[in-house]
Amino acid sequence: METSHLTTERLNKLLEMMDELNSESAVIALPYFAVVNPSEVGRLVYRVQAALLGAAHGDVASGAEAVRIWLCEENLRTCLSVDQISHLQELLLTALMVSSNESKLAVVKTAHAVLAKNLDPAKADRLTKATQLLLKRTQPDQVRFGTDGEAFFSLVRAEVLRMAKTLLDSGHVTSEELQAAVIESSSDPLPEIRFALAN
């Protein structure tokens, strides 16, 4: 969408449509509107928060993607205050722990891109603890084999392992638990786990 189309009128219509349809999936567009509607940033951050901490898988995934777009694209990030950036990062840390199993992959991917790859040393300890907990929750003995959940959990675990490796490589994290998980992943029976750190 061209910048000239990102008007307050269109933003209001989009927000009204989201209310009418009870759908937060449109939140992916909100960071783009924020750039040309700076007075609306607070309201848009609230909408992203509602999606990211929502109950529906589609809403959470859309909220996570909106956070990734907002914080990873420099021209969009500049419309946020330091406090708003910190708030979105805190939301991601919360979502890592409270999101449903169905939403976990989208949240972990975003946390990896937003938090681990641009690690704030002040958040390193909390992100490390969250990563350790996710590794425990995605152990093979936590999954029923032969179900769709098995494939899904292995994808989540692969992404968590990538995040663990990124944290260890940052120089701000030393965790024997993460190091052991990364080393052991090379001999995991599941191929997506085995090759997680090769890509």
Side-chain angles (χ1 to χ4, degrees):
M1 188 178 287
E2 294 180 16
T3 302
S4 61
H5 296 161
L6 300 172
T7 63
T8 301
E9 181 182 359
R10 284 195 170 174
L11 171 60
N12 286 330
K13 286 181 179 177
L14 176 63
L15 294 176
E16 286 171 14
M17 180 192 73
M18 289 166 62
D19 286 337
E20 289 171 11
L21 300 176
N22 194 24
S23 171
E24 292 291 337
S25 62
V27 296
I28 293 171
L30 298 184
Y32 299 100
F33 277 96
V35 174
V36 292
N37 297 279
S39 63
E40 300 288 344
V41 170
R43 183 162 63 138
L44 303 184
V45 167
Y46 174 78
R47 285 303 186 109
V48 170
Q49 172 180 318
L52 185 60
L53 299 181
H57 163 64
D59 293 353
V60 176
S62 296
E65 180 61 9
V67 171
R68 189 199 63 75
I69 290 167
W70 221 338
L71 296 184
C72 291
E73 295 189 23
E74 192 58 38
N75 64 316
L76 302 180
R77 187 183 173 103
T78 57
C79 69
L80 294 166
S81 69
V82 172
D83 287 344
Q84 287 166 333
I85 290 171
S86 180
H87 180 65
L88 289 173
Q89 292 172 335
E90 288 295 322
L91 287 174
L92 267 180
L93 283 166
T94 300
L96 274 176
M97 297 296 96
V98 302
S99 59
S100 68
N101 292 339
E102 293 77 14
S103 307
K104 194 69 76 183
L105 182 58
V107 175
V108 172
K109 282 186 172 183
T110 299
H112 185 196
V114 170
L115 299 176
K117 289 184 177 178
N118 303 287
L119 188 63
D120 176 352
K123 291 184 170 57
D125 186 55
R126 288 175 60 208
L127 186 56
T128 299
K129 287 178 179 172
T131 305
Q132 291 169 338
L133 183 58
L134 287 169
L135 284 170
K136 287 177 184 171
R137 289 182 179 173
T138 56
Q139 287 286 345
D141 62 358
Q142 300 294 312
V143 185
R144 291 179 311 163
F145 288 98
T147 66
D148 291 341
E150 180 184 353
F152 178 78
F153 270 96
S154 64
L155 292 174
V156 173
R157 186 168 177 81
E159 192 61 34
V160 174
L161 283 164
R162 289 185 189 99
M163 187 158 65
K165 178 77 162 56
T166 300
L167 289 171
L168 292 170
D169 290 346
S170 73
H172 297 291
V173 172
T174 54
S175 164
E176 291 182 9
E177 193 172 331
L178 294 188
Q179 288 174 337
V182 167
I183 291 168
E184 290 167 8
S185 68
S186 62
S187 59
D188 195 280
L190 294 172
E192 54 268 42
I193 302 299
R194 213 165 44 246
F195 300 122
L197 305 180
N199 301 314

